[in-house]
Amino acid sequence: MNNYTCTSCGTVGLAEGFIEDTGEISRGYARWIEGALERGILGGAKRMGRPRRQIEAFRCPKCGHLELFATGAV
């Protein structure tokens, strides 16, 4: 636990975790990519040249609210 405060109910001490990505050819974790979603010819998201950040997730043990933060570059 830590001293982070839930922005929904005010509980102090959020549980750290992560958002898993189990899609095809996934790396096992989700990333935040800067800019609006644009799709390529085959329907996939255009990602080339865009900054990417790892997502850190914290869950409130009282109300279950998730707090997500885009941290260091991946």
Side-chain angles (χ1 to χ4, degrees):
M1 293 290 182
N2 48 51
N3 290 329
Y4 293 145
T5 302
C6 177
T7 58
S8 183
C9 73
T11 297
V12 175
L14 304 182
E16 185 173 2
F18 63 96
I19 305 296
E20 182 181 29
D21 178 5
T22 59
E24 284 187 45
I25 314 172
S26 74
R27 292 190 170 117
Y29 59 90
R31 295 177 293 179
W32 178 85
I33 300 175
E34 188 173 316
L37 173 63
E38 296 178 44
R39 298 209 178 262
I41 299 169
L42 301 176
K46 290 184 179 181
R47 302 180 310 271
M48 294 298 287
R50 293 183 173 190
R52 300 165 191 192
R53 305 244 178 241
Q54 182 175 328
I55 297 173
E56 290 186 13
F58 296 86
R59 181 182 178 276
C60 177
K62 183 176 179 182
C63 72
H65 177 77
L66 290 178
E67 299 280 344
L68 304 177
F69 299 92
T71 61
V74 179

